[in-house]
Amino acid sequence: MKLQEAYDIVVVGGGPGGAAAAITAARRGLSVLLIEKRQEIGTPVRCAEAIGRDQVAPFIALDPAWIAAEIDAFRIFGPSGQSVRVPPTSPTIVVERKIFDRELVNAAVRAGATARAMTRATGLIIEDGFVRGVKMISLGREETVRARVVIGADGPESQVGLWAGLSTMPRMADYYTAVQYLLAGIPLDDPRECQYHIGNDLAPGGYAWVFPKGPDKANVGLVITATHEKNGRSAQEYLDAFVERRFPGASVLALILGGIPVGGTVKELVGNGVMLVGDAAHQAEPITGGGINLAIFAGEMAASVAADAIAAGDWSKKALEAYPRRWHQEHGRAIKSMAALRHSVLKFSDERYDRLVALAAELPLAEMSVFDIILRVLRHDPGLLLAAREFLIPT
Ligand SMILES: Cc1cc2nc3c(=O)[nH]c(=O)nc-3n(C[C@H](O)[C@H](O)[C@H](O)COP(=O)(O)OP(=O)(O)OC[C@H]3O[C@@H](n4cnc5c(N)ncnc54)[C@H](O)[C@@H]3O)c2cc1C
């Protein structure tokens, strides 16, 4: 049970980003410690649990134990109730994250990492401008563990970034407040279809969702832009109104509350001996707030770069900068554009949302990428084009 005094990599956080980093680093032959502050990895769940199946497959064998539903389509409802059915760009599943997250960390252990729950990072060891390890309370005892590289995968309330002097605080306008019920005993229109509902009265600066977890059970939740809570109505009050309308009499099996930073990747992803991944680095997709796959990509990327740096004997900020470079090339630029689009789209009137849905319904969606769909819809409506100009011309 005793921890080593030093590891090549210490990962703070046992979510998908941290697990992917630990798997990758351990597969590269590095010594890895992953710590998770919660009593049990995977709980409490703070997620609607929809992910791309093919994106997780390289990290964990698909297992019916954590696949709650296979999804054939997304349906987007405008404020007036008209809807459009959008096929997924890649196979999508709804998972049981409490099992999925635990099994992902288990995959890291199988690859050679050490994992420890009930272990909270409380600070970093910083010497000569370099992060050299982590201070923690592990199973009730104070410990310090040295590391060549610390990977902060500590989610939306990340402290690793703050401790390391990296700027990670989002603006309120770049933050979704999220609330979700796991509802049971509800008649689902289609248990293989994820629904999104948009409208300014329904979820100002956000949207509501119904993600099936079986024939009569679903994650039903809602995000609103955090600044809208100032108007006096909480996200939960908006969700209650939605549930009352759509699923009166439903049973509530769980309530979850959370926040998602959706303003685009933080400016500084790395420092001397430290890297940030996943929600800690604001790498979620800005419009939907979906971040599991992106956290996994980031964890894999960061750990690969850390492994190269350690092999070369230099894990300074300069050496670790290969990670932000790769991130921005593969995902960061698209996320930046989506963040700009979010600011335009979330200010649309209900009439304009309805027009968007009606236009989309006329397109051959099965043959088009998401980007093509957005461009085609925008081109059909000069007003929309103007409103979304920031998306088309990213700053
Ligand atoms: C309501 C809601 C619904 C969502 N639905 C979806 C969805 O359907 N699909 C999707 O892709 N994304 C969804 N997301 C976003 C998704 O949950 C996150 O983007 C994803 O979990 C990010 O993974 P991560 O590993 O970066 O962070 P997390 O999953 O948040 O993991 C961070 C971990 O770090 C631990 N930690 C924090 N501080 C410390 C510390 N000091 N010491 C040790 N451990 C620490 C935390 O306990 C946590 O386990 C949703 C989010 C919310 C709030």
Side-chain angles (χ1 to χ4, degrees):
M1 286 297 279
K2 222 168 142 21
L3 295 174
Q4 291 171 203
E5 276 175 21
Y7 293 81
D8 291 317
I9 308 264
V10 172
V11 178
V12 179
I23 292 170
T24 306
R27 283 181 183 166
R28 291 282 300 264
L30 300 179
S31 62
V32 181
L33 172 67
L34 176 149
I35 62 171
E36 167 55 53
K37 70 177 177 185
R38 295 175 184 173
Q39 202 169 340
E40 191 181 346
I41 285 166
T43 61
V45 173
R46 286 194 305 184
C47 189
E49 305 176 295
I51 59 174
R53 194 188 61 199
D54 295 350
Q55 286 82 13
V56 298
F59 295 89
I60 183 172
L62 299 175
D63 183 345
W66 49 259
I67 300 180
E70 308 252 3
I71 299 305
D72 294 335
F74 299 98
R75 186 172 288 279
I76 302 168
F77 288 82
S80 67
Q82 189 185 353
S83 69
V84 56
R85 190 172 188 275
V86 184
T89 45
S90 64
T92 300
I93 49 181
V94 178
V95 300
E96 295 289 353
R97 263 196 78 174
K98 63 174 81 153
I99 307 175
F100 172 76
D101 281 22
R102 202 181 57 212
E103 287 309 308
L104 214 49
V105 170
N106 202 15
V109 172
R110 276 198 214 104
T114 299
R116 185 165 281 190
M118 275 294 277
T119 300
R120 183 163 59 88
T122 55
L124 297 174
I125 303 169
I126 299 179
E127 295 166 354
D128 309 325
F130 261 79
V131 172
R132 304 280 188 194
V134 179
K135 300 174 191 166
M136 58 187 82
I137 297 180
S138 178
L139 307 175
R141 285 186 300 272
E142 278 188 27
E143 306 233 18
T144 52
V145 171
R146 297 185 75 82
R148 291 190 158 110
V149 176
V150 173
I151 298 184
D154 48 340
E157 311 94 5
S158 175
Q159 287 188 289
V160 170
L162 293 175
W163 293 330
L166 308 176
S167 155
T168 56
M169 284 302 287
R171 295 183 308 146
M172 286 281 274
D174 290 330
Y175 207 75
Y176 272 151
T177 304
V179 55
Q180 177 180 279
Y181 293 124
L182 173 58
L183 295 185
I186 53 174
L188 288 173
D189 300 338
D190 181 348
R192 293 177 71 93
E193 194 175 85
C194 281
Q195 294 183 354
Y196 293 93
H197 297 255
I198 46 179
N200 287 302
D201 290 336
L202 172 76
Y207 68 94
W209 64 82
V210 180
F211 288 1
K213 291 191 79 178
D216 55 1
K217 205 165 73 166
N219 286 327
V220 179
L222 171 149
V223 285
I224 60 175
T225 299
T227 40
H228 284 279
E229 276 202 310
K230 280 202 206 128
N231 301 339
R233 217 167 156 205
S234 69
Q236 195 174 349
E237 286 171 303
Y238 283 107
L239 179 60
D240 286 346
F242 176 67
V243 169
E244 195 52 50
R245 232 179 14 257
R246 301 277 307 182
F247 306 111
S251 289
V252 177
L253 302 192
L255 160 69
I256 65 152
L257 302 165
I260 315 175
V262 283
T265 316
V266 293
K267 280 208 176 70
E268 287 182 294
L269 279 174
V270 297
N272 290 324
V274 66
M275 313 171 94
L276 297 178
V277 305
D279 276 10
H282 305 181
Q283 288 166 321
E285 196 276 294
I287 293 184
T288 62
I292 304 171
N293 289 128
L294 289 161
I296 288 175
F297 294 148
E300 188 272 330
M301 247 180 231
S304 300
V305 168
D308 291 343
I310 289 171
D314 175 8
W315 45 93
S316 63
K317 178 176 179 179
K318 194 157 177 267
L320 299 180
E321 258 160 8
Y323 160 51
R325 274 199 301 278
R326 203 178 135 196
W327 173 261
H328 288 295
Q329 214 170 345
E330 292 184 27
H331 303 286
R333 273 195 219 128
I335 287 180
K336 192 173 176 191
S337 300
M338 294 299 267
L341 181 64
R342 173 176 174 272
H343 281 290
S344 303
V345 167
L346 296 183
K347 283 187 216 130
F348 285 1
S349 66
D350 279 354
E351 293 69 35
R352 194 166 263 182
Y353 282 135
D354 276 330
R355 204 152 75 228
L356 267 174
V357 171
L359 283 170
E362 287 169 12
L363 297 173
L365 297 175
E367 295 148 33
M368 299 170 73
S369 71
V370 175
F371 194 76
D372 289 339
I373 294 169
I374 292 171
L375 285 184
R376 283 283 290 275
V377 168
L378 294 176
R379 276 190 201 130
H380 269 76
D381 180 335
L384 292 178
L385 191 67
L386 190 67
R389 63 193 176 283
E390 287 176 78
F391 172 65
L392 299 167
I393 314 163
T395 49

